[in-house]
Amino acid sequence: MKLKQSRNNELEEPRPSRQQILCIGGANLDRKIMIEGTFQLHTSNPGSTRKQSCGGVARNVAENLGRLSQQVSLLTAVGDDAEGEFIVEQSKLYMKLIPLQVQGEASTGIYTALLDERGELIIATAEMEIYDQICPSTILENIPLITLSRLVLLDTNFSKNVIASIIRLCHEQQIPLVVSSVSASKMRRLPRNLNGVGWLVCNQLEAQSYLGIEIVNDQQLLEATRVFHHLGVQNVIVIREADRIFFASQDGSFGHISMHPVQEVIDVTGAHDAFIAGMIYGIIQGYLMEQVCQFGISCVALTIQTDRTVSDTISLTKLHAKFKELYGIEPQRFVFFKGMYFRGKDT
């Protein structure tokens, strides 16, 4: 089959350089259904199915980064089926895709989202059994991919043991690591030892699910981020509802950033992935945490005004233009080195 041949070819190719970003996690097929009128439970709802597209947090982040002219690879699991071939073919334009070896006849993951007329998510289903087939030894076969990366993005689609292995490896090798949640239930797959996690991104519900506490105000949210710091996370970013970003660092700095209202929201699917990609771009370019979040918000603004999970309009030029439009300033660049920021020289 084509996927097996693709895997063989990948093994023969040279490993990525330190300039590359490595995304590890989900790659699946996205199907979106738009409900017409008011959604009603326990009865049939009229709706229309939109065109299927590639999905998965890690895969979507990788494509966004590829569109932002970054060198990026994706380590993921897809089935040896038509859906897997579709994902490989659509993804290779923007990244190097390295499929993990999967035992048996596991099917490619499928995510189905039910949206209202405004493009807001009502409910979603996720058929992701394929990721349960991946074990830590499979990841360890790809250690050079991780250790030679400039930065690693890890989502929470894999098992707790796999996630813990990757976090531990990045910590030991001092590889900058961004961890992105996928859902409240999968947030609980994170280990209790989070040493090595440079940036953790989740929403308020996911933070509550992992920590087992209730967060109802800003003070409780700040206390929650301190718990994450105690567990080893250097920087915590919490998305509050749909309008605010809260960030806190181990050095004691923290703050809120409001999401700018978008005139016409077409589809919010992929907004989280776009935020992560914009944020990673800000990190590797050496921007401070507030500006890192602002780049994420700028990337979201470009995404939710289209009906695509990953907007085909995203580019570096448009990202910087959107940043300036939203914040009215040019971002101040710094150099990020061994966990510290240093002001960059004027050029």
Side-chain angles (χ1 to χ4, degrees):
M1 295 290 287
K2 291 182 180 179
L3 292 183
K4 293 179 180 178
Q5 183 62 46
S6 172
R7 173 64 183 175
N8 291 335
N9 291 341
E10 293 289 354
L11 292 173
E12 295 170 1
E13 292 180 3
R15 296 297 188 180
S17 69
R18 271 286 189 181
Q19 295 303 308
Q20 287 199 331
I21 301 163
L22 176 63
C23 297
I24 306 175
N28 47 262
L29 199 66
D30 272 0
R31 290 175 179 153
K32 303 175 189 177
I33 302 172
M34 179 73 76
I35 293 298
E36 299 172 7
T38 303
F39 173 72
Q40 295 182 338
L41 288 170
H42 312 301
T43 187
S44 175
N45 289 266
S48 58
T49 303
R50 294 188 174 185
K51 185 178 179 180
Q52 70 179 20
S53 61
C54 295
V57 173
R59 199 220 71 89
N60 290 347
V61 171
E63 181 176 340
N64 275 298
L65 288 169
R67 290 180 179 274
L68 291 174
S69 304
Q70 305 303 302
Q71 296 181 49
V72 60
S73 296
L74 172 65
L75 192 61
T76 189
V78 292
D80 202 6
D81 49 29
E83 290 81 5
E85 290 186 12
F86 176 81
I87 290 170
V88 171
E89 288 301 312
Q90 295 295 312
S91 301
K92 67 182 183 182
L93 299 173
Y94 309 101
M95 69 198 78
K96 175 184 281 188
L97 192 151
I98 302 118
L100 292 163
Q101 294 283 46
V102 180
Q103 301 296 324
E105 299 296 328
S107 300
T108 298
I110 297 177
Y111 172 84
T112 304
L114 193 65
L115 310 173
D116 64 20
E117 289 183 318
R118 296 169 299 178
E120 298 285 348
L121 179 66
I122 299 172
I123 194 170
T125 62
E127 304 167 57
M128 306 293 176
E129 294 84 358
I130 188 170
Y131 303 120
D132 297 332
Q133 304 295 321
I134 303 302
C135 58
S137 61
T138 306
I139 297 297
L140 294 178
E141 293 172 358
N142 295 275
I143 283 180
L145 289 170
I146 299 173
T147 59
L148 289 175
S149 296
R150 183 178 188 179
L151 177 145
V152 171
L153 175 277
L154 172 66
D155 74 25
T156 54
N157 271 303
F158 292 130
S159 70
K160 190 170 186 175
N161 287 338
V162 169
I163 291 170
S165 296
I166 295 169
I167 292 174
R168 184 167 56 251
L169 178 61
C170 287
H171 181 51
E172 292 170 352
Q173 299 296 322
Q174 296 186 316
I175 307 299
L177 174 64
V178 176
V179 174
S180 169
S181 64
V182 171
S183 66
S185 61
K186 291 184 178 180
M187 181 76 176
R188 293 193 291 271
R189 295 181 178 182
L190 288 177
R192 302 310 288 186
N193 181 355
L194 296 175
N195 286 309
V197 177
W199 298 265
L200 173 65
V201 187
C202 62
N203 63 33
Q204 185 171 315
L205 178 62
E206 291 158 350
Q208 291 179 152
S209 176
Y210 177 81
L211 297 174
I213 61 175
E214 185 178 15
I215 301 171
V216 296
N217 56 45
D218 290 349
Q219 183 58 39
Q220 289 176 331
L221 179 58
L222 180 58
E223 291 171 359
T225 61
R226 288 171 177 163
V227 177
F228 279 120
H229 294 326
H230 179 72
L231 295 173
V233 182
Q234 294 176 30
N235 303 284
V236 182
I237 299 174
V238 181
I239 301 170
R240 298 202 68 187
E241 298 174 344
D243 60 354
R244 279 200 299 167
I245 303 293
F246 180 84
F247 64 90
S249 300
Q250 278 189 340
D251 63 8
S253 62
F254 64 91
H256 285 278
I257 304 176
S258 296
M259 297 284 282
H260 284 262
V262 175
Q263 193 168 27
E264 183 181 8
V265 176
I266 297 177
D267 188 346
V268 299
T269 309
H272 175 88
D273 312 332
F275 178 83
I276 300 295
M279 190 193 88
I280 288 175
Y281 170 75
I283 291 170
I284 63 175
Q285 294 300 317
Y287 295 109
L288 294 178
M289 183 54 63
E290 182 176 4
Q291 294 174 328
V292 162
C293 293
Q294 289 170 339
F295 269 112
I297 293 170
S298 301
C299 205
V300 170
L302 292 172
T303 299
I304 62 178
Q305 290 183 293
T306 74
D307 62 355
R308 296 175 178 270
T309 304
V310 178
S311 171
D312 56 5
T313 67
I314 286 178
S315 67
L316 268 183
T317 300
K318 289 190 175 181
L319 179 63
H320 278 266
K322 179 59 69 174
F323 184 102
K324 191 169 184 179
E325 174 191 329
L326 295 180
Y327 302 105
I329 57 173
E330 292 290 347
Q332 171 64 56
R333 289 187 62 174
F334 285 69
V335 176
F336 182 76
F337 179 70
K338 291 189 175 181
M340 300 287 290
Y341 285 102
F342 300 91
R343 187 180 296 275
K345 295 180 179 179
D346 294 333
T347 57

